Amino acid sequence: MSKKIQKARCYIYTRVSTMAQTEGYSLEAQQDRLRGYATYRGLEIAGEYCDAGKSGKSIKGRPAFRQMMEDILSQKDGISFVLVYKLSRFGRNAADIMKSLQLLTDIGVHLVCVEDAIDSSTQGGRLTLAILSAVAEIERENITSQFISGKMQKIQDGKWYGGPPPYGYKSLGKELIQDPYEAMIVRKIFNLYLQDDMMKSSVAGYLNDSGVLRRKDRQDDKSEQEPFTREFISRILKNPVYCGKLVYGRRTNKKDKDGRLIKSDPEQRLMIEGMHEPIITEEEWERVQEKRRKNSTWGKKVIEPERIGLLSGLIKCPVCGAGMVARSRRQVNKNHGGYYKISHYYYCRYYGKANGRTCSFHRTYRQEKIDDAVFEIVSNLCTYPEFREAVNYSLQDQGTKEKLQDELDRQRKELRNDELELRRLGDRLDNLDVFEANYEKEYQQIQTRMDICYDRIEETESRIAAINEQMTTYAESRRTADDIEKMLNHFRILYQKMTYQEKREMYRLFIDHIEILPETGRDGKVLKSISFRFPGQYGELPLVPQETGRNEENPKVDRKSETGKEFCFTLECTNLEQTAVETKATYAEIKRYIQDNFGLKVSSLYIAQIKRKYGLEVGEQYHKSANPSRKILTCPAAKEEAIKAALVHFKMLIEKSS
């Protein structure tokens, strides 16, 4: 009896950094060596992955390596080995190497370092890997230390230490040389900022209004021009290179646990007199820094210091698509002194002159209205039929478990039948008489049928394994869906106990982006759609479409929801009933409705009077006269009826039936 023998499969991974090119580890040499080894071992190469010019410091900067690990984890090609030239090509970070190696081991995939003669399938190979990975990390740290030492020596000598030259200079022969045009702009920036009425935003606005532009790619004279921004002006004003200094330790690449850059310690910075020609004097530099220090507290929140834009970045500008940001504004009450109520709103930052006004969308949205509308929709998400249909579609929940079980029973029945057939054929083969004239012919016929039977059994076993895996995935998906529903059902309670920062972070866990309407509809709607992204285990079920069929595609479910990593769903808010906050029209919207439908002009004072008359909440009276004897105008009857009709239209007032 014979059975097909399949070759073991492998992946080939190669990597080379700029420094490694000089060490004889070229990509071609690595690939040739690994292909030859695969041939020698009788391995079938299922895929080749290559990171050219990538450092081994971390796997984050190696896209091909990450893709290979994803393919291995998904068991896409059923490989048994990963071949690398040397361990240092696999990585130089001990933690990364051991973590990746553990993932391979868990799946039953072995790492082979050809030049190091290491095979993780052996106990000795695993021990050697642990030792060499630590050595590889030490080697990388030594290289980094040598690089930093060389950089420090250049700074101490007053020489440019490399990297892209700052704006206003170009690098020539590893020296900083002034670029005449850019240096002129740098002087202009410092001179403008030193004027009494100029701030960073106004400097950027002045340059943009004057038609001054900067090249997007400073290395290409024909590259696209772009406007000046407040952030760019800020970087110029705080860089001491312009007064002839070189600083080591201005920036840090260290990040905190949340991924934010940690500010460098000023006491750890090293400032040296540079050999390059300064663009401004030290006296101008000190004056600018003094003004920056005085202005450092300008704009800091005094009222509601904890308040932040809950949905900043998630709300997308209807014109340019960029994330809208939050801003607060407090206007002075010129009539009676003090301030009006502080207003919080979202706006497109690229409309601002400080950012070059690269977007034409000038409208702002009240934070309270957007935040409350999103909160209400999220709180009621589980009640929307669209959401439940999308969850069921992603889980293929309509009879999936039963269909999978039926298919599993059918495959097991076929397997038993094939095994009985194989046993029956084996008995016939054993009972053949070798002395019969047609013995060879009958033997060959039975053997052929047994080979076919073996193939069918192998295919059936594969299908059974796939169905079992799908049933596990379905159970995990069902648990994930239940967890999401549980979280959403308790959303209101959780929300009330959270700080602004906690609310902001929670929204970012499951909201991908929010689209808003460029103009508020007459029904007060501002939200166009909300796209959700719930993490979890999801899968396209079932795997056998011929037997179980599949629902018609749901356009509201993103295809990423079938990758097994997350469930994505877009809720069209324009199809929903108005949220409570959307029914509350602003004074401007009430005035517009009355003007359009009654041809009357009404004041905010009259609207406030009628709202108070019917018991509606009205804010503080900022225009109230300090003189108690001053006569207050009374809203005329015709305008009162028009205002009342507007309040009923916007569902702020319920009209009593007669």
Side-chain angles (χ1 to χ4, degrees):
M1 294 184 289
S2 62
K3 191 174 181 179
K4 291 185 179 179
I5 299 176
Q6 293 184 340
K7 285 186 177 181
R9 313 186 83 195
C10 70
Y11 282 158
I12 281 179
Y13 175 73
T14 54
R15 179 185 66 81
V16 69
S17 61
T18 304
M19 181 176 293
Q21 292 281 7
T22 64
E23 298 175 354
Y25 297 156
S26 69
L27 292 175
E28 294 78 8
Q30 292 181 47
Q31 290 164 351
D32 290 345
R33 181 74 175 87
L34 295 178
R35 289 168 187 159
Y37 181 84
T39 303
Y40 167 74
R41 286 281 301 268
L43 302 176
E44 177 186 348
I45 300 175
E48 296 189 13
Y49 301 81
C50 173
D51 279 315
K54 304 295 182 181
S55 169
K57 177 181 178 180
S58 171
I59 63 174
K60 293 181 180 179
R62 294 189 281 159
F65 184 88
R66 296 200 309 272
Q67 183 60 54
M68 179 183 72
M69 293 303 295
E70 287 182 12
D71 291 345
I72 293 172
L73 291 173
S74 67
Q75 300 183 12
K76 170 185 170 184
D77 298 306
I79 68 161
S80 302
F81 295 91
V82 172
L83 307 185
V84 296
Y85 184 69
K86 292 175 71 73
L87 181 61
S88 60
R89 302 303 93 203
F90 191 70
R92 290 186 184 272
N93 182 299
D96 280 348
I97 290 175
M98 299 313 296
K99 183 178 179 181
S100 301
L101 183 59
Q102 185 60 53
L103 288 174
L104 296 181
T105 303
D106 291 343
I107 300 176
V109 176
H110 305 296
L111 176 66
V112 177
C113 308
V114 175
E115 283 299 297
D116 295 328
I118 300 173
D119 186 342
S120 69
S121 62
T122 66
Q123 185 175 356
R126 288 191 292 273
L127 177 61
T128 306
L129 274 172
I131 296 171
L132 289 184
S133 61
V135 172
E137 182 168 11
I138 293 171
E139 180 185 347
R140 180 186 63 79
E141 291 175 351
N142 288 337
I143 293 171
T144 303
S145 177
Q146 292 170 11
F147 172 76
I148 293 175
S149 297
K151 186 176 179 180
M152 287 287 293
Q153 186 60 51
K154 284 188 175 183
I155 293 174
Q156 290 174 348
D157 293 341
K159 298 178 181 179
W160 178 241
Y161 45 78
Y167 189 84
Y169 291 95
K170 54 187 176 182
S171 181
L172 186 63
K174 298 184 179 180
E175 293 184 8
L176 289 182
I177 306 297
Q178 284 190 18
D179 181 298
Y181 177 74
E182 292 184 354
M184 178 268 293
I185 294 176
V186 171
R187 291 191 194 93
K188 187 74 172 175
I189 290 172
F190 277 89
N191 291 335
L192 286 171
Y193 186 72
L194 284 173
Q195 296 179 18
D196 293 338
D197 58 342
M198 298 294 277
M199 305 290 281
K200 287 176 279 192
S201 296
S202 48
V203 170
Y206 178 89
L207 292 173
N208 293 327
D209 291 343
S210 303
V212 181
L213 296 172
R214 58 193 176 101
R215 293 192 302 274
K216 198 168 186 178
D217 183 358
R218 296 175 58 209
Q219 307 300 320
D220 183 4
D221 293 336
K222 298 181 180 179
S223 71
E224 180 183 350
Q225 302 282 318
E226 62 180 354
F228 289 90
T229 64
R230 182 184 184 279
E231 288 78 5
F232 178 83
I233 301 299
S234 179
R235 290 199 302 270
I236 295 290
L237 294 175
K238 64 184 180 182
N239 193 342
V241 74
Y242 298 114
C243 69
K245 308 290 185 182
L246 290 177
V247 179
Y248 177 76
R250 274 185 69 228
R251 298 185 180 92
T252 175
N253 291 325
K254 295 181 179 179
K255 297 182 180 180
D256 60 18
K257 61 179 181 180
D258 297 321
R260 294 186 292 263
L261 284 175
I262 300 173
K263 290 185 178 181
S264 58
D265 184 355
E267 296 183 1
Q268 300 296 322
R269 297 174 188 170
L270 177 65
M271 184 175 291
I272 300 293
E273 194 73 34
M275 296 178 66
H276 62 282
E277 181 183 0
I279 294 178
I280 62 169
T281 64
E282 287 193 42
E283 187 268 337
E284 289 174 314
W285 165 260
E286 290 298 336
R287 286 170 56 199
V288 165
Q289 303 317 303
E290 180 61 27
K291 183 174 181 179
R292 287 183 63 239
R293 284 190 288 271
K294 288 181 179 179
N295 294 336
S296 61
T297 57
W298 183 85
K300 283 190 175 180
K301 294 181 180 179
V302 178
I303 300 176
E304 298 181 288
E306 291 185 356
R307 186 182 180 104
I308 58 176
L310 297 181
L311 304 172
S312 291
L314 295 179
I315 304 173
K316 301 303 178 183
C317 172
V319 175
C320 69
M324 300 183 78
V325 296
R327 174 172 286 183
S328 299
R329 179 170 52 201
R330 186 175 57 172
Q331 294 179 315
V332 176
N333 188 335
K334 297 180 180 179
N335 296 323
H336 307 291
Y339 295 91
Y340 290 110
K341 178 184 177 182
I342 188 170
S343 59
H344 305 278
Y345 58 94
Y346 295 109
Y347 78 107
C348 180
R349 66 193 300 265
Y350 293 107
Y351 176 74
K353 292 179 68 175
N355 289 305
R357 189 159 287 177
T358 54
C359 178
S360 60
F361 190 68
H362 61 84
R363 187 185 169 188
T364 60
Y365 296 79
R366 285 194 302 123
Q367 275 191 49
E368 183 180 9
K369 187 168 187 176
I370 299 286
D371 293 351
D372 288 353
V374 171
F375 168 74
E376 184 173 330
I377 288 175
V378 173
S379 300
N380 297 318
L381 189 59
C382 287
T383 66
Y384 298 133
E386 302 96 321
F387 179 71
R388 290 195 171 278
E389 289 172 8
V391 172
N392 288 338
Y393 170 77
S394 286
L395 296 177
Q396 295 289 306
D397 201 18
Q398 300 174 354
T400 295
K401 188 174 182 180
E402 292 75 13
K403 290 177 180 179
L404 285 174
Q405 188 61 54
D406 291 344
E407 179 64 18
L408 182 61
D409 293 340
R410 193 178 71 82
Q411 294 295 334
R412 285 174 174 169
K413 184 177 179 180
E414 288 188 8
L415 180 62
R416 285 195 297 271
N417 291 338
D418 286 333
E419 288 175 341
L420 289 173
E421 175 68 9
L422 185 63
R423 189 179 304 168
R424 188 180 63 80
L425 291 172
D427 291 340
R428 282 188 57 190
L429 192 66
D430 292 339
N431 293 326
L432 286 179
D433 189 350
V434 295
F435 297 107
E436 289 288 338
N438 59 348
Y439 171 80
E440 292 292 340
K441 182 179 179 180
E442 286 190 27
Y443 182 91
Q444 190 60 44
Q445 288 176 347
I446 294 174
Q447 186 64 59
T448 300
R449 291 176 63 184
M450 291 181 72
D451 288 342
I452 295 172
C453 204
Y454 274 123
D455 290 339
R456 283 205 309 267
I457 289 174
E458 185 176 351
E459 292 171 3
T460 304
E461 287 175 341
S462 297
R463 284 196 292 269
I464 289 173
I467 294 172
N468 282 326
E469 183 178 348
Q470 284 188 323
M471 294 184 75
T472 301
T473 301
Y474 169 79
E476 292 174 352
S477 301
R478 185 68 266 170
R479 282 195 297 272
T480 301
D482 291 342
D483 290 342
I484 291 174
E485 185 172 0
K486 189 182 298 182
M487 183 273 291
L488 293 174
N489 287 336
H490 292 83
F491 183 77
R492 288 180 182 272
I493 299 173
L494 293 171
Y495 194 87
Q496 293 171 357
K497 297 181 179 180
M498 290 181 173
T499 64
Y500 277 116
Q501 184 62 40
E502 289 170 339
K503 293 173 184 177
R504 175 187 171 95
E505 292 175 357
M506 182 176 65
Y507 273 136
R508 277 156 177 73
L509 288 175
F510 57 83
I511 293 182
D512 186 70
H513 65 274
I514 300 169
E515 293 188 7
I516 52 177
L517 297 169
E519 297 292 339
T520 303
R522 291 193 176 276
D523 57 359
K525 280 189 174 295
V526 292
L527 297 178
K528 180 181 179 183
S529 65
I530 303 179
S531 293
F532 296 93
R533 184 190 65 249
F534 292 101
Q537 179 66 39
Y538 294 88
E540 183 179 358
L541 300 170
L543 185 67
V544 192
Q546 302 95 324
E547 300 296 334
T548 58
R550 183 172 170 175
N551 293 343
E552 183 179 352
E553 183 154 341
N554 188 335
K556 296 175 184 174
V557 181
D558 192 286
R559 301 304 297 177
K560 286 187 288 186
S561 64
E562 297 181 357
T563 64
K565 293 183 179 178
E566 54 189 23
F567 160 55
C568 301
F569 166 70
T570 298
L571 180 68
E572 298 297 334
C573 301
T574 51
N575 299 331
L576 305 177
E577 291 289 331
Q578 293 167 282
T579 61
V581 70
E582 287 175 330
T583 63
K584 296 179 181 178
T586 63
Y587 280 65
E589 290 168 344
I590 293 173
K591 291 177 183 178
R592 187 166 60 244
Y593 177 84
I594 295 172
Q595 176 70 41
D596 293 345
N597 291 274
F598 298 93
L600 298 174
K601 289 186 177 180
V602 297
S603 66
S604 298
L605 175 64
Y606 287 161
I607 295 174
Q609 281 183 9
I610 304 308
K611 289 178 71 175
R612 286 194 188 91
K613 180 177 179 179
Y614 289 97
L616 299 179
E617 182 182 353
V618 179
E620 184 180 346
Q621 298 182 59
Y622 290 97
H623 290 285
K624 187 176 181 180
S625 174
N627 183 1
S629 62
R630 184 175 179 179
K631 184 178 180 180
I632 300 176
L633 297 175
T634 303
C635 179
K639 292 188 176 182
E640 178 178 342
E641 288 301 316
I643 294 171
K644 180 180 175 183
L647 296 176
V648 171
H649 169 77
F650 288 110
K651 299 181 181 180
M652 300 170 70
L653 184 65
I654 300 175
E655 190 173 24
K656 295 182 179 179
S657 57
S658 57

